[in-house]
Amino acid sequence: MTVAFAEHRRWPRNRHVREKALLYAGWLAHYAADLCQPLHTTVHHDGRALADLSTPHSGIHERVDALFERVAFDRASAVRGAAIRRFTDLQGSVLAELAASHSLVDRVYELEDALDPDVVGDPRVTAFTRERYRAAAGFVASLFWTAWQDSATVEIPSWLDRQGY
């Protein structure tokens, strides 16, 4: 993402450079937001893992993945004032977000009965969904901001020319 932003800084009108940056941004946003879903951080990703570490396929993973679509909450207010920062230690910041998300695995399982699509409006589920939405938005925005800031220091080699394509 950082290199794509560096190229965009140098060739802002180049459609291919812009499209590459958008493609990378989409990939980064997808996987960064996935990291904020606690069940993506554990072997207990779709039911408590069995002794052989296989999954029982309980369906909880799909129900948690669907929360952003299914649970009604004010998305604008959820992200208002979210901390967006430049990560000075990118790897450490990603690992910290991973640990924070992973720490919520037990909480997800405590909410399991309320995650049924027929159960609507449980305030615990709404609060959890809102908090994970805010975490994902802040994390993705911070990754983008870090890449943008760091892109200013990337030196594009003189032999690389994106002007003509």
Side-chain angles (χ1 to χ4, degrees):
M1 188 80 255
T2 300
V3 172
F5 278 160
E7 288 184 17
H8 177 68
R9 285 177 182 274
R10 181 139 179 213
W11 299 287
R13 289 184 173 79
N14 184 306
R15 179 176 63 92
H16 300 288
V17 168
R18 284 194 315 268
E19 289 173 0
K20 178 170 70 172
L22 287 170
L23 177 68
Y24 290 169
W27 285 341
L28 179 60
H30 176 97
Y31 290 112
D34 270 358
L35 182 139
C36 295
Q37 204 275 54
L39 296 182
H40 289 166
T41 71
T42 180
V43 297
H44 306 291
H45 60 92
D46 197 15
R48 293 287 185 184
L50 304 174
D52 65 357
L53 297 182
S54 66
T55 182
H57 300 289
S58 71
I60 189 172
H61 189 109
E62 183 179 350
R63 291 191 308 272
V64 173
D65 274 353
L67 289 177
F68 290 164
E69 300 165 11
R70 194 172 61 77
V71 174
F73 65 97
D74 182 355
R75 283 147 177 77
S77 71
V79 298
R80 193 171 295 118
I84 299 170
R85 58 199 179 281
R86 180 179 185 193
F87 295 136
T88 55
D89 174 9
L90 182 58
Q91 182 177 3
S93 298
V94 170
L95 291 174
E97 192 65 42
L98 175 66
S101 183
H102 183 72
S103 74
L104 300 173
V105 170
D106 287 337
R107 183 168 165 206
V108 170
Y109 279 97
E110 290 167 7
L111 294 172
E112 186 169 14
D113 290 341
L115 296 173
D116 187 310
D118 294 332
V119 177
V120 178
D122 186 304
R124 299 169 305 147
V125 173
T126 301
F128 175 80
T129 305
R130 187 179 193 281
E131 186 275 326
R132 289 290 78 206
Y133 186 84
R134 180 181 179 88
F139 183 53
V140 169
S142 293
L143 289 169
F144 284 175
W145 183 241
T146 300
W148 179 253
Q149 292 297 310
D150 290 353
S151 73
T153 65
V154 172
E155 292 187 32
I156 308 267
S158 60
W159 53 262
L160 182 62
D161 181 13
R162 300 276 192 239
Q163 198 61 37
Y165 89 106

